[in-house]
Amino acid sequence: RAARTLDGGLKELGGQPAPFYPGDWFWTASRAINAEPGEVQPITEFPFFTFLYGDLHAHMIAMPLAMLALGWAVSVALAAERRRRGAGEQGSRRPRPVGEGWGEGLGLLSLLVGALAIGVLRPTNTWDWPTYLLLGSVAILYYCLQTDGFNLRALGKAGLLAAALFGLSSLAFWPYTANYGAAYSSVSLWPGSYTRAWNYLVVHGLFLFFVVTHLAREMRAWAATWTEEGKRRLEPLGRVIVAALVLFVVLTAALLVRGYWVAPIALPLLVVAGLLALRPGLETGRRVVLALMSAALGLTLLVEIIVLDGDVGRMNTVFKFYLQVWLLFSVACGPAAVWAWASIRQTKRLRTVWQATLAVLLFAALLYPLLATAAKWGIRMNPDAPNTLDGAAFMPTVEYGDTDYAGQSRTVRLLEDMGAIEWLQRNVEGSPVVMEAFGGNPYRSIAARIAMYTGLPAVVGWDWHQRQQRAVAPDTLVTSRIADVNTFYNTLDAAEARNILARYGVEYIVVGSLENTYYAPAGQLKFDQMVAEGTLQEVFRDEYARIYRVTSDE
């Protein structure tokens, strides 16, 4: 592979074009995990790709909300540290008066904020909700143990507050959940191929470098506190400790034999980070970093073992949980990198090796934003399109090839629909239903363009996404609408067309570039008949498109 890479690089320097699509520079990184023939390759999307790709999906919308939920959990843990120190300065842990701390720690206001921050993830990007609910509950447990000590009272209080967090987060969005059917509600063991160690390191290598560095520093700091007396107190537990180590080695080996190549990397780091986070007397900030590292490592191992039922292979299971891993690692490795930098600079023997390794990893990681941004920019549909925040400004400059109703090639010009779209934006109030063409290839066409650019509901949107969002309902709920839209435009029978309009409460009908492409001209003759009989009124016409308004409830 290295030889081929060098050979290809020399050929490119010699003027020979690279034998792959330029856009692969940004796209391929989102498919970095191996898959066997016949399997759907897992998605390894990450935040920079998400915003570079610019596709407004749920996982993009949820990122700031996830960071809000995570920030709340961290703030609860840090508040416990502040309260513990305050109580120590006063000489004892005093009970808090009623009403104290409404905006701090776990006062009522803080609990409500946490419930909203975590609860909003359920309707926004459901995959995030259980993860951050668990992290929030762990933060509550830590708060109670720090402020009340390790006893049954603290555990009971933590249980009640965690239940309140769950209940409030659910109650706040009950109208949504009461009317929502989850497509992914159970899990199974993943029966397919597992992530190879190299692919795992390609995705998480930079983060793991900081994780290993941080764990080594924490282990060294912990070892410095060991005393002979403390070691003697552990002697009665010697057999238990040895048995635990043997069990851990056996478990890791069993997972490796089973084919879980990630296990020898993630599992030891997870266990070490978890144990270091549990040691007494540790500053809360350092404990939080270790806990977040443990959570991230655990998620990377979890997706190797289980898959959510109903997923396409394990495409979305890896996709959604890996995005959580990116956020958790990013928050944890930030302070870990700062602490490591200050510490390593004082160690001459390791400093050169550590800094050289970091430089190589940073160089490799920075290649993506530098090269992928240019690659994404370079495959714009038309380089002459203006650079603007106006999401429709590209339309006058762009055209693409499609296939018409007769199987012939046709050029679709986005300019042809701009007049109709702008008329609807200016003149239509409320949310009347619009009839527009169904496009079977939404990623390679301007399908659903009326709904997208006006915000008005259409009879049917994107086939696969519509069926995904209604996964607990029969597919016919969507496919019957597709059939009705196609029938409406193709039929010669005005009565049949009126029945379809009434069935979906359609108020406006668009006949533009896609309708002229996908449907036979004969079907459009009925519109003149329906205008003549008073069923339709033509409200817009230019040289490319027409809009009709339904004037009858028949």
Side-chain angles (χ1 to χ4, degrees):
R1 181 179 298 178
R4 289 198 301 270
T5 302
L6 179 60
D7 178 62
L10 292 174
K11 288 179 179 177
E12 273 208 82
L13 291 174
Q16 182 174 329
F20 49 79
Y21 180 56
D24 286 345
W25 279 114
F26 89 92
W27 178 261
T28 305
S30 69
R31 302 296 190 276
I33 287 182
N34 52 283
E36 296 297 325
E39 288 183 354
V40 178
Q41 193 170 18
I43 296 175
T44 55
E45 189 169 324
F46 46 97
F48 193 95
F49 176 93
T50 300
F51 289 94
L52 179 62
Y53 193 45
D55 202 352
L56 192 62
H57 275 65
H59 61 277
M60 174 190 280
I61 301 171
M63 281 187 199
L65 301 175
M67 294 301 288
L68 175 64
L70 182 57
W72 176 82
V74 171
S75 74
V76 169
L78 295 177
E81 175 83 2
R82 291 193 298 271
R83 187 183 173 196
R84 183 178 63 81
R85 288 178 178 176
E89 292 172 359
Q90 296 178 20
S92 64
R93 289 177 178 164
R94 62 177 179 84
R96 305 190 88 176
V98 176
E100 182 181 341
W102 276 60
E104 177 188 359
L106 272 178
L108 177 60
L109 180 59
S110 176
L111 192 63
L112 288 174
V113 169
L116 284 173
I118 294 172
V120 73
L121 292 170
R122 194 171 186 179
T124 306
N125 189 39
T126 308
W127 301 75
D128 289 341
W129 182 63
T131 298
Y132 291 98
L133 182 63
L134 178 60
L135 290 173
S137 299
V138 170
I140 288 174
L141 175 61
Y142 179 75
Y143 181 89
C144 293
L145 295 178
Q146 285 290 300
T147 55
D148 295 327
F150 189 85
N151 51 53
L152 290 177
R153 179 178 180 274
L155 294 175
K157 180 181 177 181
L160 288 175
L161 288 172
L165 181 69
F166 170 79
L168 290 171
S169 71
S170 300
L171 184 63
F173 298 93
W174 181 254
Y176 173 84
T177 54
N179 295 280
Y180 176 75
Y184 305 97
S185 57
S186 60
V187 299
S188 301
L189 293 177
W190 168 240
S193 61
Y194 307 114
T195 306
R196 298 191 187 104
W198 171 250
N199 299 94
Y200 184 75
L201 293 175
V202 165
V203 178
H204 304 293
L206 180 58
F207 287 135
L208 293 177
F209 176 77
F210 288 117
V211 169
V212 171
T213 300
H214 186 67
L215 295 185
R217 291 183 63 257
E218 288 289 353
M219 183 65 75
R220 182 181 178 183
W222 185 31
T225 65
W226 294 351
T227 63
E228 290 301 323
E229 182 182 354
K231 295 174 184 177
R232 282 194 296 270
R233 285 200 299 266
L234 289 176
E235 285 181 1
L237 299 175
R239 292 184 178 180
V240 175
I241 294 173
V242 171
L245 287 172
V246 171
L247 180 61
F248 170 76
V249 172
V250 170
L251 176 61
T252 305
L255 290 173
L256 182 59
V257 170
R258 179 70 174 79
Y260 294 110
W261 307 106
V262 168
I265 303 173
L267 189 57
L269 296 177
L270 187 160
V271 172
V272 171
L275 291 175
L276 288 172
L278 293 174
R279 71 189 196 269
L282 186 64
E283 181 188 355
T284 297
R286 291 163 63 187
R287 200 185 302 274
V288 166
V289 167
L290 290 167
L292 294 181
M293 288 178 175
S294 296
L297 290 164
L299 288 173
T300 65
L301 186 57
L302 182 69
V303 298
E304 298 297 308
I305 299 172
I306 66 169
V307 62
L308 271 70
D309 293 331
D311 197 358
V312 183
R314 61 168 181 155
M315 179 179 72
N316 286 299
T317 302
V318 172
F319 172 22
K320 300 294 186 174
F321 288 118
Y322 261 33
L323 271 176
Q324 297 173 14
V325 169
W326 272 84
L327 297 184
L328 294 174
F329 268 150
S330 296
V331 172
C333 291
V338 174
W339 295 335
W341 182 261
S343 177
I344 292 294
R345 287 175 63 87
Q346 300 174 8
T347 308
K348 293 182 178 180
R349 286 185 298 176
L350 292 178
R351 182 173 60 193
T352 302
V353 175
W354 189 87
Q355 290 180 344
T357 305
L358 176 60
V360 171
L361 290 173
L362 283 176
F363 173 76
L366 287 172
L367 284 175
Y368 186 82
L370 293 174
L371 297 179
T373 303
K376 181 66 168 66
W377 189 264
I379 60 168
R380 302 178 76 206
M381 294 183 72
N382 189 335
D384 296 329
N387 305 323
T388 171
L389 294 178
D390 182 354
F394 77 106
M395 296 179 73
T397 65
V398 169
E399 59 185 35
Y400 65 91
D402 208 332
T403 303
D404 69 9
Y405 62 92
Q408 302 297 315
S409 297
R410 176 186 168 93
T411 298
V412 176
R413 301 171 63 225
L414 275 57
L415 171 67
E416 296 179 7
D417 289 318
M418 285 199 68
I421 289 171
E422 290 173 351
W423 186 91
L424 290 168
Q425 290 172 337
R426 289 193 306 266
N427 294 282
V428 174
E429 297 181 355
S431 298
V433 178
V434 175
M435 176 72 77
E436 64 172 316
F438 168 73
N441 191 3
Y443 281 104
R444 298 293 182 269
S445 72
I446 196 67
R449 82 280 195 206
I450 303 300
M452 286 192 294
Y453 285 103
T454 65
L456 299 175
V459 176
V460 65
W462 291 10
D463 177 17
W464 176 234
H465 277 189
Q466 293 295 336
R467 285 188 286 143
Q468 279 184 311
Q469 293 162 14
R470 295 162 180 80
V472 297
D475 280 353
T476 53
L477 188 68
V478 176
T479 56
S480 62
R481 286 175 172 254
I482 295 173
D484 282 344
V485 169
N486 292 336
T487 298
F488 172 79
Y489 281 105
N490 280 324
T491 185
L492 306 180
D493 187 346
E496 184 177 25
R498 285 195 299 270
N499 289 336
I500 294 173
L501 293 175
R503 187 175 304 146
Y504 299 108
V506 174
E507 190 168 337
Y508 289 94
I509 302 162
V510 174
V511 181
S513 63
L514 294 191
E515 290 74 23
N516 293 327
T517 298
Y518 296 149
Y519 305 113
Q524 297 186 24
L525 298 177
K526 64 179 175 291
F527 295 138
D528 292 334
Q529 175 188 340
M530 297 171 74
V531 169
E533 66 187 21
T535 304
L536 301 180
Q537 175 188 3
E538 185 178 281
V539 293
F540 172 82
R541 177 189 286 265
D542 64 11
E543 58 181 312
Y544 304 116
R546 291 163 287 158
I547 299 176
Y548 300 96
R549 185 169 67 84
V550 180
T551 59
S552 173
D553 294 331
E554 295 179 10

